[in-house]
Amino acid sequence: MRKLFLFLVVLFLSFQQVTLAAIKEMTSTPDSVYLFSFATSEDDGRSGLRFAWSMDKENWFEVGRNYGYLRCDYSRWGSQKKMLNPYLKQSPAGEWVCTWKLNDRDGYGQATSKDLINWTSQKYPRTTSDFDGTRVKAVVAGEEQKGTINRVAWTLVDGLNKNYGWNQYRNSLHEERPVQDGERFAGLKPVNATVTVQPERAKAISDVLLGAFFEDINYSADGGLYAELIQNRDFEYDPSDREGDENWNSTHSWTLKGDKTTFTIATTDPIHANNPHYAVLNVERPGAALENTGFDGIALNVGEKYDFSIFARVPQGQSNKLQVRLVDGEGNICGETSLTVFSRQWKTYKAVITAKATADTRLEIIPQSAGELNLDMISLFPQHTFKGRKNGLRKDLAQVLADIHPRFIRFPGGCVAHGDGLKNIYQWKNTVGPLEARKAQRNLWGYHQSMGLGYFEYFQFCEDIGAEPLPVLAAGVPCQNSACHGDLRGGQQGGIPMSEMGAYIQDILDLIEWANGDAKKTKWGKVRAEAGHPKPFNLKYIGIGNEDLITDIFEERFTMIFNAIKEKYPEMIVVGTVGPFNEGTDYVEGWKLADKLGVPMVDEHYYQTPGWFLNNQDFYDKYDRSKKTEVYLGEYATHIPGRKANIETALTEALYLAALERNGDVVHMTSYAPLLAKEGHTQWNPDLIYFNNREVKPTTGYYVQKLYGQNAGNEYLPSKITLDNKDDKVQKRFASSIVRDSASGDVIVKLVNLLPVEVNTHVDLSGIGVIQPSAKRTVLTGKPADTPLPVEDTVEVAEKFDCQLPAYSFTVIRIKKANEK
Ligand code: AHR
């Protein structure tokens, strides 16, 4: 027996040794391997730097399927951003240096990394010896590639593999969408939730949390919010505004109908050097009409009055009467006037036209005598603009924006702020003063900016609706996706030359003086006063930079601008920039710079999937509260395939906004982007509000913004949320945010249910004070692809009350203090 036992012990131990050896054999990894780095030539390396490993330089194993670990940031999206023939080498200090060719003209791209995962900002040297080195061929996943081979520690490759796996996992979370809910939540029963407010943990939050992002994209300004009805009124459309459109020039939207008259464009003696082109009509025999088709027609409303104005002259001195008509498609005259041009010098002539019909029309100008006429700044404006402002904004569109109750408005972008190349940087001084002296320019979204809606109109609108202005100016560099437009290396990577930075910084300081300076004692304050606004605008915020590449070029210029503003206007809240995404090199480097300089606020941008928002509700809960820098979430939106805006996108935004309110102590401002889009002229989807000449069509997401804007608070009342279903995928579909607005004393309860079932919610408001028994409730609900409107009613509330949240819904309950009506 004893022998048998000993035998079994020996057998067990030897078996164990064999097994351990086998396990060791199975799990043992090499100390080092060969690492092949390459970029695929068929896409010019746009998919980025890729890796494969091998023990013998024969059999190569791809690291991450088609996965690029570093992508070129140089130049514009689409055909560019190439990584040609990358060369990877390790410096004696152990740092990896990747160098590639950009194209045949602009030199090289270069970035460094310690782990081949996190890369520094890219540099773009004209010349470098780091590109020189032998490339070899290797077959990776059946395809022959050319690249470089390095011997590396296995742990490095292991790190790359794990990073790939982690990203795959994250991406799978970010793909979560309600369309999969049938399967995901099969058999799910209605959920019971309890929301218990904890007033003792109340904290102050930003009182300007929800604002609006205005950019002249999608014809938001000319043909949109700016009420001017004549397109190309200044004859300044230029072929460079829009690549590949041969009709895009000074005569765009204008035609001469009839004969015995010629229509040409001249530049010899303009009204102003900033506005060089004007129309010349040579009338041999009267009868012909110069026509303008407006922006998709000129929409008239019966009985309304329209201000017609024109700069004109008769160089030969013979006066000429102009008949001015608005004519519909059938030839009916829907409004008309006449005026006589009598001066040899440029002079403005004005008349009022009353619409005889509600119709879509064109403008006709018909000279009544022979002779030469010069015409410019031909304008037709409804008298009914928002707040009746001259040169004002389209009433219905401006009202829809005002209804959001945005606490601030960002302007003029977005990419429009920093422009496509140095020559396209938005210059605020070109956008104030008399309209005929403003300098129009190419809009990088492929059209033209008249600058009629300029800085003055923008500040005036902010004041009219009680919003803080938040102008954003370029940080001395243009858009990181700039094309060069003949401005070699003045595109993305070019900064304003140092010799011109002094003047550029002065322009920024002048803007602050223009907004806030004394009307009598300061040069720019006087300019503001002359434009009709002697009182300062009380500018508090100024944004510097937009989604820029955080390169040395950027850092040097941003630092100069930041220091200059800080020195002259220490009270100004400067908003810096941390790139176009919620992670990555620009995000990391942008934050590092903000921390180093002590920038008061930075502008974060991210357009993300519903799954991203669902799984990142704690994005700012993890924010380091010891930091001095606050966050402006300046551009965000939920994007789904097809880029539609519906209740799915709206509800994920509502859910995320609940998290933003919760973090309103560090997130100071937020703005959905983009704001406006004209039907038939959109360069970007989704947008918050669509419109045409007659209708305004807010999206479902608009109502979410409006509900948050109209129901904002400056005090956050944390609450304990308990769901009877403990499944994480259920829990993250429910959100609540309770705020108090100290001005009214109202407490607002916001509840988001992104589940396909009802949530029976018990709300416990004990401790918030005595409240009125009835409250206003607004509910937005529908199936994920629906685009419903919010429904309002009155509900009974008490210290403790129950509230049933429909599947896929957003509910807002506004509760008044007991002593208020
Ligand atoms: O919102 C549209 C564009 O998105 C903005 O111009 C730019 O900042 C961002 O990339």
Side-chain angles (χ1 to χ4, degrees):
M1 184 69 188
R2 209 183 139 152
K3 272 189 188 159
L4 181 65
F5 177 72
L6 279 174
F7 172 75
L8 285 175
V9 168
V10 170
L11 189 71
F12 172 74
L13 287 175
S14 43
F15 175 76
Q16 198 187 31
Q17 261 177 353
V18 171
T19 313
L20 285 176
I23 290 171
K24 187 157 189 298
E25 177 69 16
M26 273 158 58
T27 58
S28 76
T29 49
D31 290 339
S32 65
V33 291
Y34 294 105
L35 184 72
F36 180 63
S37 48
F38 64 99
T40 48
S41 52
E42 57 278 13
D43 67 348
D44 286 332
R46 285 189 204 90
S47 52
L49 183 68
R50 294 168 46 184
F51 298 112
W53 69 271
S54 171
M55 299 285 280
D56 54 10
K57 294 198 195 172
E58 287 298 325
N59 297 304
W60 290 98
F61 301 95
E62 197 176 5
V63 183
R65 185 78 198 108
N66 294 332
Y67 191 74
Y69 284 82
L70 166 69
R71 280 195 168 76
C72 176
D73 268 332
Y74 189 82
S75 207
R76 74 202 304 193
W77 293 114
S79 59
Q80 298 183 23
K81 298 201 184 295
K82 299 176 185 174
M83 179 178 275
L84 303 174
N85 219 0
Y87 189 75
L88 182 73
K89 69 177 181 188
Q90 201 168 17
S91 74
E95 191 176 55
W96 291 101
V97 183
C98 182
T99 310
W100 65 95
K101 217 167 159 210
L102 299 168
N103 51 41
D104 288 337
R105 190 190 58 195
D106 297 338
Y108 303 89
Q110 189 163 69
T112 63
S113 172
K114 290 198 175 87
D115 55 9
L116 299 178
I117 296 167
N118 299 295
W119 292 86
T120 57
S121 305
Q122 297 178 15
K123 294 192 179 9
Y124 305 102
R126 291 300 263 169
T127 58
T128 176
S129 58
D130 290 331
F131 185 68
D132 307 335
T134 313
R135 280 24 169 219
V136 293
K137 287 181 181 160
V139 176
V140 180
E143 303 280 332
E144 188 175 84
Q145 307 289 355
K146 224 168 143 191
T148 47
I149 295 181
N150 287 278
R151 184 89 191 169
V152 302
W154 170 252
T155 48
L156 186 80
V157 175
D158 199 35
L160 291 172
N161 267 323
K162 284 183 177 140
N163 176 265
Y164 171 71
W166 167 240
N167 276 313
Q168 294 299 100
Y169 169 68
R170 277 194 339 161
N171 291 346
S172 69
L173 289 182
H174 299 169
E175 276 161 21
E176 176 174 347
R177 291 193 50 205
V179 281
Q180 309 133 356
D181 282 357
E183 201 181 319
R184 178 179 292 112
F185 293 114
L188 181 68
K189 301 269 173 327
V191 173
N192 296 307
T194 305
V195 176
T196 310
V197 77
Q198 300 173 319
E200 67 287 356
R201 289 178 50 222
K203 64 175 177 182
I205 57 168
S206 168
D207 59 357
V208 289
L209 187 63
L210 193 127
F213 162 99
F214 180 87
E215 172 164 25
D216 188 2
I217 181 173
N218 310 317
Y219 278 69
S220 297
D222 295 316
L225 186 59
Y226 184 49
E228 173 64 81
L229 292 166
I230 304 300
Q231 183 163 192
N232 192 16
R233 68 179 173 194
D234 53 7
F235 302 95
E236 296 302 329
Y237 276 28
D238 189 272
S240 67
D241 295 340
R242 177 175 284 188
E243 283 173 43
D245 182 345
E246 57 188 26
N247 295 320
W248 197 276
N249 55 43
S250 290
T251 63
H252 189 276
S253 302
W254 295 99
T255 39
L256 185 78
K257 290 272 170 64
D259 50 17
K260 301 290 174 197
T261 297
T262 59
F263 163 41
T264 52
I265 298 290
T267 54
T268 42
D269 185 15
I271 311 170
H272 193 279
N274 283 347
N275 177 14
H277 299 84
Y278 55 92
V280 177
L281 296 186
N282 265 302
V283 185
E284 193 187 319
R285 200 179 61 217
L290 181 65
E291 293 186 0
N292 186 282
T293 44
F295 295 92
D296 300 336
I298 297 170
L300 297 184
N301 290 315
V302 66
E304 280 200 21
K305 290 191 163 55
Y306 296 82
D307 290 332
F308 175 79
S309 65
I310 187 168
F311 270 76
R313 67 181 174 198
V314 277
Q316 290 140 356
Q318 277 174 308
S319 63
N320 201 333
K321 186 169 172 185
L322 303 182
Q323 198 184 356
V324 180
R325 314 195 307 196
L326 291 157
V327 182
D328 71 11
E330 276 77 54
N332 302 310
I333 297 172
C334 303
E336 62 187 324
T337 188
S338 65
L339 41 84
T340 301
V341 181
F342 54 82
S343 173
R344 287 174 190 268
Q345 311 303 326
W346 285 114
K347 187 176 154 41
T348 328
Y349 299 86
K350 294 181 178 168
V352 174
I353 300 177
T354 305
K356 290 193 248 174
T358 293
D360 294 332
T361 63
R362 62 179 185 272
L363 173 81
E364 291 185 357
I365 299 172
I366 309 167
Q368 302 295 299
S369 312
E372 182 184 333
L373 269 163
N374 297 171
L375 310 174
D376 204 354
M377 297 303 291
I378 304 173
S379 168
L380 185 73
F381 244 90
Q383 287 189 351
H384 284 153
T385 57
F386 186 67
K387 304 258 178 205
R389 299 268 174 219
K390 288 278 176 218
N391 193 47
L393 307 183
R394 202 176 121 174
K395 210 177 167 182
D396 53 354
L397 269 179
Q399 189 57 54
V400 166
L401 299 185
D403 289 346
I404 297 174
H405 196 173
R407 302 305 196 278
F408 67 90
I409 301 181
R410 173 197 183 121
F411 178 94
C415 290
V416 162
H418 56 182
D420 185 10
L422 287 179
K423 290 179 183 152
N424 194 239
I425 288 179
Y426 195 98
Q427 307 284 351
W428 75 270
K429 286 181 181 170
N430 291 340
T431 77
V432 293
L435 295 177
E436 65 277 13
R438 294 189 188 181
K439 197 168 178 183
Q441 79 170 25
R442 165 177 168 255
N443 181 308
L444 55 68
W445 296 107
Y447 55 105
H448 184 87
Q449 289 168 277
S450 73
M451 302 302 185
L453 195 180
Y455 261 74
F456 184 83
E457 293 72 24
Y458 155 58
F459 271 71
Q460 184 64 73
F461 181 51
C462 288
E463 188 176 85
D464 283 344
I465 65 169
E468 301 286 350
L470 169 54
V472 175
L473 293 99
V477 294
C479 178
Q480 67 167 296
N481 301 310
S482 291
C484 288
H485 281 281
D487 184 7
L488 196 61
R489 293 183 73 81
Q492 173 205 29
Q493 273 65 49
I496 293 179
M498 276 301 147
S499 56
E500 294 167 27
M501 271 305 286
Y504 183 71
I505 291 172
Q506 190 54 51
D507 279 351
I508 295 178
L509 298 176
D510 289 346
L511 172 64
I512 302 173
E513 184 177 292
W514 176 83
N516 292 352
D518 185 277
K520 294 209 174 94
K521 294 188 204 138
T522 65
K523 175 178 166 194
W524 288 98
K526 265 185 214 149
V527 174
R528 183 196 66 239
E530 278 158 21
H533 201 285
K535 274 199 352 218
F537 279 117
N538 193 18
L539 174 69
K540 299 188 188 99
Y541 303 92
I542 188 162
I544 301 297
N546 174 68
E547 294 192 352
D548 299 303
L549 264 194
I550 313 297
T551 57
D552 295 349
I553 296 173
F554 167 86
E555 286 198 15
E556 189 179 11
R557 285 159 182 78
F558 179 88
T559 306
M560 288 168 78
I561 298 167
F562 177 72
N563 288 339
I565 298 175
K566 212 168 99 177
E567 194 185 327
K568 186 145 189 213
Y569 298 104
E571 70 288 0
M572 196 57 53
I573 299 172
V574 177
V575 185
T577 179
V578 294
F581 307 113
N582 53 285
E583 59 188 0
T585 304
D586 295 328
Y587 187 79
V588 172
E589 298 298 323
W591 265 107
K592 268 193 213 159
L593 182 66
D595 289 344
K596 183 170 112 191
L597 297 176
V599 178
M601 206 180 301
V602 295
D603 177 17
E604 297 192 346
H605 292 184
Y606 39 89
Y607 297 95
Q608 285 289 5
T609 58
W612 188 93
F613 286 108
L614 276 170
N615 287 290
N616 284 280
Q617 293 174 61
D618 60 352
F619 194 78
Y620 295 109
D621 293 286
K622 5 187 232 281
Y623 183 95
D624 176 0
R625 258 62 185 175
S626 67
K627 273 184 195 276
K628 296 227 162 48
T629 306
E630 295 187 299
V631 174
Y632 163 38
L633 175 53
E635 291 186 29
Y636 73 96
T638 309
H639 285 181
I640 55 174
R643 296 282 201 105
K644 293 245 177 323
N646 54 25
I647 197 150
E648 173 183 0
T649 57
L651 287 183
T652 45
E653 285 149 13
L655 190 86
Y656 201 68
L657 275 161
L660 294 171
E661 280 194 335
R662 180 172 69 241
N663 287 286
D665 53 331
V666 291
V667 181
H668 192 71
M669 297 169 141
T670 64
S671 47
Y672 177 101
L675 188 60
L676 294 172
K678 186 160 197 175
E679 286 178 338
H681 301 277
T682 56
Q683 294 86 42
W684 183 288
N685 285 300
D687 304 284
L688 202 61
I689 302 159
Y690 290 82
F691 64 92
N692 56 38
N693 282 349
R694 295 203 173 271
E695 294 161 291
V696 179
K697 303 177 177 180
T699 59
T700 316
Y702 166 84
Y703 294 106
V704 167
Q705 296 290 319
K706 185 170 150 183
L707 281 166
Y708 270 92
Q710 293 194 349
N711 293 290
N714 54 347
E715 194 185 4
Y716 185 76
L717 305 176
S719 40
K720 186 162 182 277
I721 301 171
T722 318
L723 266 58
D724 64 351
N725 187 322
K726 302 296 172 204
D727 187 344
D728 177 56
K729 60 182 190 290
V730 170
Q731 301 248 337
K732 69 186 175 204
R733 297 285 190 110
F734 177 85
S736 150
S737 171
I738 304 180
V739 295
R740 193 194 317 259
D741 167 42
S742 61
S744 61
D746 293 358
V747 167
I748 303 118
V749 179
K750 301 187 184 87
L751 300 159
V752 186
N753 173 19
L754 249 159
L755 289 163
V757 296
E758 279 181 356
V759 176
N760 306 309
T761 311
H762 180 71
V763 182
D764 182 347
L765 297 177
S766 305
I768 66 155
V770 192
I771 57 172
Q772 290 191 18
S774 70
K776 184 174 146 193
R777 174 174 69 173
T778 314
V779 180
L780 193 57
T781 183
K783 294 203 186 71
D786 289 353
T787 54
L789 294 174
V791 175
E792 284 179 12
D793 64 0
T794 303
V795 287
E796 284 186 13
V797 291
E799 196 175 68
K800 295 178 184 177
F801 65 96
D802 292 330
C803 170
Q804 211 161 55
L805 310 181
Y808 301 117
S809 64
F810 175 39
T811 301
V812 179
I813 304 171
R814 189 168 187 118
I815 300 166
K816 293 205 161 295
K817 276 202 306 199
N819 56 353
E820 296 215 342
K821 282 197 190 147

